[in-house]
Amino acid sequence: MKKKYYGIAFLAFIALLVLMYGGSLLVSLGAFIGGVILAGERGMELIYNLLIDNPNFFSILVYAIPMALILPWYYLAFVEKRGVAQTLRAHTRRLTPVCFLWVVLLTLAAQHATSLIMAAIDFLAPSVMNDYVELVESSGMSNYSVLWVISTLILPPLLEEVVFRGLILQYLGKAGTRFFVANLIQAVFFGVYHMNLTQGIYAFFLGLLLGYLAYRYDSILVPMVMHFFYNLFGTVLVDLETKFLPEFVQGILVLVSVPLLAVILTGIHFRFGEKKTVVRGGEHTA
């Protein structure tokens, strides 16, 4: 019976792909049809320009479709039986202020390590990197606004962590898969989900870290926090560093990122600075 959970985990991945990329087509088609109905060919042109000029708004509409179906799936599968209050306690019982400090430091190191990955890709396959740069420029990732906050910092961490570190990782665990293997599988899915080689490669490594945090803290909230800061640092922080830091300083930050990752992961693994949770009489106390 446990083997069925492999199929359910894979189904969650396929469902997200279909809902995200099919939803993108559905939103576009619905917008164009609505434009034609309201104002004919002129209306279709207006809608096209609206979507092109407001990619963050378009992204929000696209995310709304899978969220409307996948969040209830997660609730029914992993929350309903225990209840919201007990589920929240379970996801926060290992969390401390120090753990979030570790997560922010880990995200900083991971973001700069991403630059090494991108530099390697640029060296080995410059055309692939050029395609990625064009994608970023057309995505609205640097169009800072309230819509940008929602489409870049809130919706992706919420939906993607629920699917990859929530549904998929937990279903693989129910199937009896060892964490190392389960984490590898969900990270591969996470990379494939991004549908371009450059982003897929660094998303795979990021997925490994996010999966480890979910396992280490027994909480989906921690990878959500890291995902939030990763997207924030990958946009705002990169822009600020490019604007204010000399190139040699940026290079040093990139070079020290890998050993820094190792140090931070060691601190997280051995819970440096954190109080260990002791179980007494069925209750968890710090």
Side-chain angles (χ1 to χ4, degrees):
M1 289 295 291
K2 285 186 175 182
K3 301 300 181 183
K4 70 178 182 181
Y5 291 113
Y6 286 113
I8 300 175
F10 185 69
L11 177 62
F13 173 61
I14 295 300
L16 179 62
L17 288 180
V18 171
L19 291 170
M20 280 295 294
Y21 295 101
S24 178
L25 294 175
L26 186 63
V27 169
S28 300
L29 182 61
F32 288 139
I33 291 175
V36 170
I37 292 174
L38 291 175
E41 185 176 339
R42 175 59 178 166
M44 184 172 68
E45 183 180 349
L46 289 173
I47 291 296
Y48 175 80
N49 291 331
L50 174 67
L51 296 180
I52 292 297
D53 294 338
N54 299 277
N56 288 318
F57 176 67
F58 177 75
S59 181
I60 290 171
L61 294 179
V62 171
Y63 267 99
I65 296 173
M67 288 186 68
L69 297 173
I70 287 177
L71 294 186
W73 179 353
Y74 181 79
Y75 174 82
L76 293 173
F78 297 107
V79 177
E80 185 182 36
K81 290 183 179 179
R82 292 195 296 181
V84 174
Q86 186 174 343
T87 300
L88 187 59
R89 284 196 295 270
H91 281 270
T92 57
R93 65 186 178 86
R94 293 186 180 182
L95 307 188
T96 67
V98 173
C99 102
F100 289 107
L101 176 60
W102 279 125
V103 168
V104 171
L105 293 175
L106 179 67
T107 311
L108 277 170
Q111 185 56 245
H112 288 98
T114 299
S115 297
L116 283 175
I117 296 173
M118 297 178 70
I121 295 172
D122 190 30
F123 177 76
L124 297 172
S127 62
V128 172
M129 180 56 65
N130 289 336
D131 291 341
Y132 173 73
V133 171
E134 291 178 5
L135 174 66
V136 170
E137 290 176 349
S138 64
S139 68
M141 288 184 185
S142 297
N143 299 341
Y144 303 132
S145 65
V146 173
L147 292 179
W148 172 83
V149 170
I150 297 172
S151 67
T152 303
L153 303 184
I154 296 177
L155 297 184
L158 177 60
L159 177 64
E160 293 166 16
E161 294 314 309
V162 164
V163 174
F164 292 99
R165 269 61 68 177
L167 292 173
I168 293 175
L169 194 57
Q170 289 193 68
Y171 279 131
L172 291 174
K174 283 178 172 288
T177 311
R178 291 185 177 183
F179 169 72
F180 174 81
V181 177
N183 197 36
L184 188 64
I185 292 172
Q186 65 82 21
V188 169
F189 284 171
F190 189 53
V192 172
Y193 161 75
H194 287 83
M195 291 295 183
N196 71 84
L197 186 59
T198 300
Q199 201 171 11
I201 291 173
Y202 72 69
F204 165 74
F205 289 104
L206 175 63
L208 291 176
L209 294 176
L210 294 169
Y212 171 72
L213 291 178
Y215 172 77
R216 168 65 184 77
Y217 292 104
D218 195 21
S219 173
I220 196 175
L221 299 178
V222 180
M224 281 184 183
V225 170
M226 180 176 181
H227 201 149
F228 170 91
F229 279 109
Y230 187 85
N231 288 357
L232 177 65
F233 294 160
T235 49
V236 176
L237 182 64
V238 168
D239 284 348
L240 291 174
E241 287 183 350
T242 301
K243 184 175 182 179
F244 294 108
L245 294 182
E247 287 189 8
F248 80 92
V249 175
Q250 296 178 50
I252 292 173
L253 290 174
V254 171
L255 289 175
V256 302
S257 62
V258 174
L260 188 59
L261 270 175
V263 171
I264 294 169
L265 286 172
T266 300
I268 291 174
H269 181 77
F270 290 104
R271 306 189 67 175
F272 292 158
E274 297 182 49
K275 294 181 179 180
K276 295 185 178 180
T277 300
V278 181
V279 180
R280 295 176 181 170
E283 295 183 357
H284 298 271
T285 58

